[in-house]
Amino acid sequence: MTLLTALPVILPLATAVAGLLLLSRPRWQAPIGLAGALALLAAAAALLVRTWRDGIQVIEVGGWPAPFGIVLVSDMLSAVMVTVAAAVGLAATVYSFRVVDAGRISAGYYALIHVLLMGVCGAFLSGDIFNLYVWFEVMLMASFVLLVIGGERPQFEAGLKYVALNLLGSVGFLSGVGLLYGAAGTLNMADLAVRVGEADADARYYTVVAMLFLVAFGLKAAVFPLYFWLPASYHTAPAPVAALFAGLLTKVGVYSLLRVFTLIFTQDTGYTRELLLWISAATMVSGVLGAAAHQDMKRILSFHIISQIGYMTMGLALATPLALGGALFYMVHNIIAKTNLFFVAGVVRRLRGSYELKDLGGLARAHPWLAAAFFVSAFSLAGVPPLSGFFAKFIMVRAAIETREYAVAGVMLGVGLLTLFSMVKIWTEAFLKPSPGGAVSEGAVGAASWVPVIAFALLAIAMGVGAEWWWRPMELAGQQLFDRTGYIEAVLGGGAR
Amino acid sequence: MELLLAVTVGWLYACGLYLLLRRTLAQVVIGLALLTNGTNLLIFVAAGLVRGEPPLIGEGQEVLAAGTADPLPQALILTAIVIGFAIQAFAMALAYRVYRSVGSDDIDALTTTEPPPPPVAVQTAEGEP
């Protein structure tokens, strides 16, 4: 038995506890947060390497054997997501150093980031459906507080909408768990997969339960038509928090959809996949059209989160090994590019004091490095080769053509074009056109903000140029998701006991 | 008994959703509380009701006797109650802060996070812009 699988949960917990115990010493908060984030990234990378070399890792918490105890499972999907989450957590922590005010820090800002990371990593690793619900709530609680602490009226208003709608999603999720347990008599995901697939199981009942999960996770992932809370709330948060939310929170919803619809609810794939196909296409189109209508940088980026989620759920709808691996590749690419775009928007805001495109201008001349970082991230999001987004879209389009879904492939390419339009809009308005007010007084931006921006831009380039190496773990993850017997055997067959 | 509880669950969901759709902040928070309680009851009913057989292992025995109540849903509900309690407390505090900063408990007054309406040419009765 190895503790490594549980470390991505234990380390953020320890960091958060240390941070809260030392809450009366604001100077210690940032170093503790940084140390915790570095340790988390190291543990996550070690877990990724071990999962890559030795196959699926299982730890039975408290020594209770599956399916009775709670298991933490790390397959390639989980391990990759945990690693990316740790990287985003580290970047957001570093970015926060000069940005976050003293009020937020003494309210436990850094500790809350680690509570959030604990929830996210726990959700990625959990092999128990009720435990997944608990991690969701841990993550949501931390995100509620991060959104409203130190805030003013816009944060409170956005927070209320965010809390109400996410609670509604949680109620749906919990109802689904209750109904699932009532019929199958187990909560372990691998055991559920076996029981739901049994011949005498009532497939129609499970399809109804599956729809509850689809609504609950769809709400968190912000798919059509459940995305309306996202553009109403994300843009009010401070830049590092918005980047963290944009990068991670919706992806936890996508991850959960991928997990339950490849592992548990495989009894009526004709219906669920058709439904997911339509939902994904509608998500892509409505998100990108919403972005085209707006003139506020953070709001445009918020709508693009929605549009990109559609590509990831499309991977689930197509459900070939290539499409599932492609969905993961897309998620990783999107987390890197999207987080960085929010980082850049935050820097722009501090330089010029606005997110409105009409107030901005001349940034390319004044700050070529910032312009380069934005250019790389934005055009990666739009799918311009040789950046990461090109390969992500290439894999998805290829998967669509291989399954003969030509209309889907067409929608993907069209949405890519509209994404490019939005990004070019920001690029010309904020960076290329001369500044509207002539000479401007600029706020100061410390090195702590530049490091994550440049690092993530380099990651986006590396993921594009070295796409083949990045694809190999994702390809394995796609195969593991497509053929669920490996997961079931690893959990129920004893695993690494 | 199952039927009665099932109807209760449905009634709690209906009331909760109705209150969620109201425009008053306090009613929305109460609606969330009702929904959470309905869900807890749903887990209890869905897992099956057993009367008068508590899940206690008898003296000198190793395992539960057949036909005793399932202890797991009760543990789940306990966890869900704790989570629901924390979130409702937070939602109430937040609703209060919203009320204090907005000066109204009307949901329709929460408009500062929405984009300003786009400039539209207003058509007057005579058809002139």
Side-chain angles (χ1 to χ4, degrees):
Chain A
M1 185 152 113
T2 165
L3 198 63
L4 187 60
T5 316
L7 273 186
V9 179
I10 295 171
L11 286 174
L13 176 66
T15 314
V17 169
L20 289 176
L21 285 177
L22 295 168
L23 203 56
S24 55
R25 295 167 199 262
R27 284 173 167 277
W28 291 23
Q29 294 293 317
I32 291 174
L34 180 65
L38 284 170
L40 176 62
L41 184 59
L47 179 63
L48 178 64
V49 170
R50 175 168 296 189
T51 312
W52 168 247
R53 284 209 189 124
D54 304 345
I56 299 174
Q57 300 290 310
V58 182
I59 182 169
E60 288 162 345
V61 179
W64 294 90
F68 306 110
I70 291 170
V71 288
L72 294 178
V73 187
S74 164
D75 64 349
M76 281 315 285
L77 173 66
S78 301
V80 169
M81 291 305 291
V82 165
T83 311
V84 179
V88 172
L90 177 63
T93 305
V94 173
Y95 188 88
S96 301
F97 281 168
R98 289 289 185 82
V99 187
V100 177
D101 51 75
R104 284 196 170 89
I105 289 177
S106 51
Y109 174 84
Y110 288 103
L112 282 166
I113 284 191
H114 279 273
V115 177
L116 183 82
L117 287 174
M118 173 174 75
V120 169
C121 291
F124 288 151
L125 288 172
S126 182
D128 181 284
I129 195 89
F130 187 78
N131 195 231
L132 180 65
Y133 165 76
V134 175
W135 289 125
F136 257 93
E137 296 304 306
V138 169
M139 173 185 93
L140 287 176
M141 253 335 227
S143 71
F144 295 161
V145 183
L146 274 175
L147 186 60
V148 298
I149 52 165
E152 295 295 327
R153 181 174 164 175
Q155 278 82 25
F156 293 147
E157 288 187 14
L160 192 79
K161 294 171 189 175
Y162 180 72
V163 168
L165 286 161
N166 272 297
L167 275 187
L168 197 61
S170 297
V171 165
F173 185 4
L174 191 58
S175 306
V177 171
L179 292 172
L180 199 56
Y181 180 75
T186 181
L187 293 166
N188 182 294
M189 290 192 205
D191 200 23
L192 275 172
V194 176
R195 304 255 182 122
V196 173
E198 273 169 2
D200 58 338
D202 187 351
R204 278 176 305 174
Y205 178 86
Y206 287 121
T207 306
V208 173
V209 177
M211 290 304 107
L212 272 175
F213 280 95
L214 180 64
V215 170
F217 294 147
L219 217 157
K220 319 244 168 192
V223 299
F224 179 86
L226 305 165
Y227 61 73
F228 40 81
W229 56 269
L230 193 151
S233 61
Y234 272 18
H235 65 96
T236 62
V241 175
L244 199 59
F245 284 14
L248 290 183
L249 294 195
T250 49
K251 310 306 181 292
V252 181
V254 177
Y255 163 84
S256 308
L257 282 174
L258 274 174
R259 180 63 82 205
V260 298
F261 280 95
T262 55
L263 185 63
I264 301 174
F265 299 117
T266 52
Q267 79 286 2
D268 188 4
T269 49
Y271 175 72
T272 51
R273 284 180 189 155
E274 181 79 21
L275 187 64
L276 276 166
L277 200 73
W278 284 101
I279 290 175
S280 307
T283 308
M284 277 157 49
V285 173
S286 54
V288 84
L289 290 181
H294 281 280
Q295 294 295 329
D296 175 311
M297 201 168 166
K298 240 174 164 180
R299 232 182 265 271
I300 294 173
L301 295 177
S302 294
F303 270 103
H304 273 294
I305 300 175
I306 299 165
S307 159
Q308 306 288 318
I309 292 291
Y311 283 94
M312 301 164 206
T313 49
M314 191 61 90
L316 177 59
L318 297 171
T320 59
L322 181 71
L324 291 169
L328 178 59
F329 192 93
Y330 208 104
M331 262 201 277
V332 174
H333 136 70
N334 187 252
I335 289 173
I336 291 170
K338 182 60 78 182
T339 309
N340 206 18
L341 284 173
F342 273 87
F343 283 158
V344 170
V347 172
V348 168
R349 162 73 189 248
R350 262 184 312 133
L351 287 171
R352 296 293 168 84
S354 174
Y355 290 119
E356 285 289 333
L357 289 181
K358 65 176 163 49
D359 301 335
L360 299 170
L363 282 166
R365 187 174 293 269
H367 300 280
W369 282 103
L370 182 70
F374 176 82
F375 187 88
V376 167
S377 305
F379 286 77
S380 170
L381 198 72
V384 174
L387 300 166
S388 59
F390 169 73
F391 293 97
K393 284 201 170 63
F394 175 74
I395 294 165
M396 297 309 294
V397 170
R398 182 166 168 188
I401 290 174
E402 277 182 5
T403 45
R404 298 176 183 279
E405 297 282 359
Y406 299 112
V408 168
V411 169
M412 284 181 187
L413 293 172
V415 170
L417 203 63
L418 285 171
T419 311
L420 189 63
F421 163 73
S422 278
M423 291 302 144
V424 168
K425 183 167 80 179
I426 300 181
W427 175 248
T428 52
E429 290 284 317
F431 289 88
L432 283 189
K433 83 168 185 218
S435 183
V440 280
S441 61
E442 297 201 331
V445 178
S449 300
W450 289 106
V451 171
V453 168
I454 301 296
F456 269 45
L458 290 177
L459 269 182
I461 296 175
M463 195 171 171
V465 175
E468 197 183 336
W469 292 285
W470 288 67
W471 170 240
R472 273 157 61 191
M474 322 278 181
E475 189 180 23
L476 181 62
Q479 284 159 1
Q480 286 178 351
L481 285 176
F482 185 72
D483 181 16
R484 59 191 183 139
T485 48
Y487 187 98
I488 295 173
E489 268 170 28
V491 175
L492 296 182
R497 219 182 312 173
Chain B
M1 197 62 188
E2 266 93 351
L3 185 66
L4 180 65
L5 281 175
V7 171
T8 314
V9 170
W11 184 244
L12 282 172
Y13 272 79
C15 293
L17 285 174
Y18 174 76
L19 286 175
L20 262 191
L21 297 173
R22 303 285 291 179
R23 277 171 54 184
T24 315
L25 263 178
Q27 291 183 341
V28 170
V29 174
I30 294 172
L32 287 174
L34 287 184
L35 272 179
T36 316
N37 288 340
T39 312
N40 292 341
L41 206 52
L42 173 83
I43 299 175
F44 190 57
V45 184
L49 299 177
V50 178
R51 298 188 74 180
E53 297 286 343
L56 298 173
I57 298 174
E59 205 171 322
Q61 288 180 324
E62 291 285 305
V63 292
L64 273 177
T68 51
D70 186 352
L72 190 66
Q74 301 172 21
L76 300 188
I77 294 168
L78 196 61
T79 314
I81 287 175
V82 173
I83 293 173
F85 165 75
I87 289 180
Q88 280 160 32
F90 181 80
M92 277 183 204
L94 184 61
Y96 178 67
R97 288 299 295 268
V98 170
Y99 170 71
R100 287 284 298 273
S101 66
V102 176
S104 158
D105 70 341
D106 188 343
I107 304 259
D108 281 3
L110 310 184
T111 51
T112 50
T113 62
E114 305 300 324
V120 183
V122 181
Q123 292 271 317
T124 54
E126 291 81 38
E128 292 168 4

